[in-house]
Amino acid sequence: MINLLKQFVIAQRRAEAFATEQHLQLNNQTTINLIEYLVQQLEQYSNWRDQGVKSLLSFVILQTAYRHYVFADRLLNHCQKPEHAETFEEENLLPTLKQLAETLRFYDSIHIQSPIPENHLPSVQDLTNRLFAMLAVNFPSQLKDLEAHWAGSMTTLQKFARDEAPYEPVFSSTHRQFLGAVDKTQCIFAQTGKYWGADKWHDNLTFEQNVQRFAEGFFRFMTVSKKEKLKGYALRMPAYYSDTVDQLAQTVARFLTALNDIDPVHSDCLQQDIEADGWKMSWAGEPFFLTAFGTCYPLKHPRNPYGFDYTYFFFQPDFVLRHHPGLTDGKEQQSRERILQNFTRNEMAYSNQGKEKEVERFIRPMLAEEPAVRWWQYL
């Protein structure tokens, strides 16, 4: 029997490689359009046996799964067993496709507001796993020669390809470069995370205008991550914003001030006593942790941007961290010790002594034993 978990992961990569090479990548809106086309064809002709329809179906499932960092669920282990035949039968394909379009419409409609919108729509994680299971159960031959099937539907797929110029989180240059840093980090949890990258920083815009553009993407990230369990949002800025540790401290203060100025819930967190126990930076009603990487640090420093000539900010909302398996059920201290040990083994030691508060770890000093960098003095 086919190992569908592994096949789902590999097939996503194949779909992305094919889409990139042929300029057939989808975004949420073009995916919705393609699903509507499929639904129309099926409701009009009721023809799941048509090869073109099955090719479009597999492409929609796998491209959408790739764009949303979908992991293979355990249901793929048992979906082909007879006792689960009814759950994954062919007649469930159409309503599940419609559900996928509905979730994507919600994601595509996100704009900054208060509070962060939530609903009971199923996640892309859940829907694409179920759709892939139905594909495997009902049309197993479709999982062979995927590229040949897609090539046969090229004319139709070209009509739904996205415009590659506008920002798309997982196709952004920030995201692609950040993944290179993830591959190199000594953090034991990093490589299993789902991440988005912010849009490009534009030098022809003011600092505050760039923060506004960041905020729009960050709000979308937080809304989507509540369903899809995304782990972090990366922002790439020019290298000169972190030429020195002091410059990086000024940049953090300026950035958080600009972000706070456009907070949809009007938080006064930056007017509070930042050095007080339990202080949190928050935006849109959600506390978050910031990890700042700078070009001022040498290669063997834990906050060096892994050789890339950029300043990087990495944002993790608390609701993400609260659900991380390594930081729950009393495991936090043990996990933090393991991470520190791993960095130390690789000659990238840091120290939390005198930096017990979160605010004291947004930036790291040049030397591990040095006191915390008090970036908030520049507010």
Side-chain angles (χ1 to χ4, degrees):
M1 187 175 289
I2 299 172
N3 183 338
L4 283 182
L5 283 89
K6 182 180 290 187
Q7 185 145 357
F8 188 34
V9 173
I10 295 171
Q12 288 182 48
R13 296 172 186 162
R14 289 170 65 183
E16 169 56 15
F18 180 85
T20 301
E21 182 181 343
Q22 301 298 330
H23 299 282
L24 296 173
Q25 289 172 338
L26 302 173
N27 58 26
N28 284 345
Q29 186 55 60
T30 60
T31 303
I32 294 166
N33 295 343
L34 182 49
I35 290 173
E36 288 176 343
Y37 171 81
L38 271 171
V39 169
Q40 182 184 39
Q41 293 293 306
L42 291 164
E43 290 183 337
Q44 186 172 355
Y45 302 111
S46 301
N47 188 11
W48 272 117
R49 302 299 168 183
D50 180 81
Q51 180 56 54
V53 168
K54 290 185 287 187
S55 297
L56 296 176
L57 175 65
S58 66
F59 190 80
V60 163
I61 296 168
L62 294 167
Q63 254 280 290
T64 306
Y66 178 86
R67 286 192 303 107
H68 287 270
Y69 262 111
V70 170
F71 291 163
D73 284 343
R74 291 179 181 176
L75 67 87
L76 297 177
N77 271 333
H78 61 248
C79 65
Q80 293 172 309
K81 296 179 180 178
E83 59 266 33
H84 298 290
E86 186 176 344
T87 303
F88 302 105
E89 61 188 2
E90 183 180 311
E91 67 181 36
N92 291 327
L93 273 164
L94 199 55
T96 309
L97 263 182
K98 291 179 179 179
Q99 284 183 309
L100 179 60
E102 192 63 26
T103 296
L104 294 177
R105 283 191 193 93
F106 167 60
Y107 289 167
D108 223 34
S109 69
I110 294 167
H111 62 278
I112 296 177
Q113 58 188 283
S114 177
I116 293 175
E118 296 187 59
N119 57 44
H120 298 293
L121 292 171
S123 67
V124 171
Q125 168 73 32
D126 175 56
L127 290 167
T128 51
N129 267 277
R130 283 197 274 146
L131 284 165
F132 188 75
M134 293 176 203
L135 187 71
V137 168
N138 296 284
F139 314 117
S141 62
Q142 187 63 34
L143 301 184
K144 301 175 183 178
D145 302 320
L146 286 168
E147 290 81 1
H149 294 314
W150 297 330
S153 298
M154 188 85 74
T155 302
T156 302
L157 288 172
Q158 287 171 341
K159 298 175 184 177
F160 298 97
R162 76 180 182 100
D163 179 350
E164 295 182 9
Y167 162 66
E168 186 71 19
V170 299
F171 298 136
S172 70
S173 55
T174 300
H175 175 261
R176 294 186 186 279
Q177 189 175 74
F178 185 75
L179 290 186
V182 168
D183 286 340
K184 299 175 183 177
T185 183
Q186 302 306 316
C187 177
I188 58 176
F189 300 122
Q191 294 185 14
T192 59
K194 305 180 180 184
Y195 308 105
W196 272 13
D199 202 354
K200 290 180 180 178
W201 189 272
H202 287 277
D203 280 332
N204 61 330
L205 299 178
T206 67
F207 190 95
E208 288 69 26
Q209 286 172 328
N210 274 296
V211 174
Q212 174 66 50
R213 293 173 69 252
F214 163 84
E216 292 164 3
F218 188 43
F219 189 89
R220 182 183 172 197
F221 162 81
M222 289 200 291
T223 306
V224 173
S225 63
K226 282 178 176 283
K227 281 189 184 294
E228 306 295 344
K229 305 297 187 291
L230 304 174
K231 299 301 183 188
Y233 193 64
L235 169 68
R236 188 175 72 176
M237 305 165 68
Y240 55 76
Y241 284 118
S242 59
D243 282 343
T244 65
V245 174
D246 191 63
Q247 177 63 59
L248 181 58
Q250 294 179 51
T251 301
V252 167
R254 184 180 179 187
F255 188 95
L256 294 182
T257 298
L259 190 63
N260 181 249
D261 287 344
I262 54 174
D263 187 352
V265 303
H266 310 293
S267 167
D268 65 350
C269 59
L270 292 182
Q271 285 71 55
Q272 298 170 6
D273 180 2
I274 292 177
E275 296 187 51
D277 290 342
W279 181 88
K280 294 273 189 178
M281 180 67 203
S282 68
W283 190 76
E286 294 291 347
F288 66 84
F289 184 76
L290 168 64
T291 305
F293 299 86
T295 56
C296 54
Y297 299 113
L299 278 174
K300 280 294 186 179
H301 194 285
R303 293 297 181 87
N304 177 277
Y306 295 91
F308 298 116
D309 194 27
Y310 289 96
T311 303
Y312 266 98
F313 285 180
F314 183 57
F315 299 80
Q316 291 177 288
D318 272 19
F319 67 78
V320 169
L321 296 172
R322 284 196 303 268
H323 292 96
H324 194 293
L327 301 176
T328 57
D329 300 326
K331 300 175 186 174
E332 181 172 354
Q333 186 57 38
Q334 181 184 10
S335 293
R336 294 196 183 282
E337 289 174 2
R338 287 177 60 203
I339 293 170
L340 176 56
Q341 289 168 4
N342 212 40
F343 273 91
T344 302
R345 266 196 306 270
N346 287 275
E347 301 177 355
M348 302 175 76
Y350 58 88
S351 171
N352 287 330
Q353 187 172 352
K355 310 174 192 72
E356 288 81 11
K357 300 170 184 174
E358 281 192 0
V359 65
E360 297 169 331
R361 301 197 297 271
F362 281 17
I363 303 174
R364 288 284 178 182
M366 188 63 71
L367 300 177
E369 65 273 12
E370 290 180 339
V373 178
R374 302 178 73 255
W375 57 266
W376 52 95
Q377 68 182 313
Y378 292 109
L379 292 173

